[in-house]
Amino acid sequence: MSDTRSVVEELYRRIGEGEGDCGGDRGALGELFAEKLEWDIYGAETVPWAGPRGTREEVVEFFRSLPDHLRAEEFAVERILVDGEHAVALGHMRHIVLATGKVFDSPFAFHIKVEGGLITRYITFEDSLALARAFES
């Protein structure tokens, strides 16, 4: 599996295996990412996972920690657009923030770059204001 679409589809297949949590097959997700990569989730400091990451290990920890903070109600990838080594996954998500019980509901776009069969870039675009508000007590 080395073409961009196959890698991205496999990523979301593995995430989707985790019915009821946000992580899916968290350990196996790491093997889809390059050892060094560009990763960023823009957002407020109140969101525990917001910010950049640069290693596979940090990405695996991100996926492992999500079920400690969120309960997924919906995570649907509706379309994957591919242009060479770049892909954009478009969809919608709805989660309950466990610390507050509030709902985070947002469309999303993930910009993913695949080089040599591994993800080297993963940038998240979501309603970061709504997410920050869902963490407010």
Side-chain angles (χ1 to χ4, degrees):
M1 171 183 40
S2 62
D3 72 281
T4 301
R5 180 172 298 282
S6 296
V7 172
V8 173
E9 287 175 349
E10 180 63 11
L11 172 68
Y12 292 114
R13 185 194 68 75
R14 291 182 189 190
I15 288 172
E17 287 177 350
E19 298 289 350
D21 73 27
C22 302
D25 189 359
R26 293 177 294 281
L29 285 172
E31 67 191 28
L32 298 175
F33 290 87
E35 192 58 46
K36 300 285 184 192
L37 69 146
E38 178 187 3
W39 169 294
D40 210 343
I41 299 175
Y42 305 112
E45 294 174 3
T46 56
V47 178
W49 60 83
R53 287 169 179 73
T55 68
R56 176 186 297 154
E57 184 176 303
E58 290 172 322
V59 169
V60 170
E61 182 52 37
F62 161 80
F63 284 111
R64 283 192 176 129
S65 71
L66 273 184
D68 297 335
H69 303 286
L70 298 176
R71 183 180 74 239
E73 291 195 333
E74 176 189 358
F75 184 87
V77 176
E78 297 160 359
R79 180 166 293 170
I80 297 172
L81 309 169
V82 177
D83 182 14
E85 55 192 20
H86 294 273
V88 175
L90 301 170
H92 184 266
M93 62 182 139
R94 179 181 168 90
H95 301 290
I96 304 297
V97 175
L98 298 179
T100 64
K102 293 181 180 179
V103 173
F104 168 58
D105 191 301
S106 176
F108 64 75
F110 300 113
H111 176 201
I112 302 160
K113 184 176 182 182
V114 176
E115 297 174 281
L118 296 172
I119 297 168
T120 60
R121 184 173 206 255
Y122 193 92
I123 307 295
T124 299
F125 300 93
E126 61 192 0
D127 187 344
S128 59
L129 178 58
L131 182 57
R133 286 183 175 157
F135 270 90
E136 293 175 352
S137 32

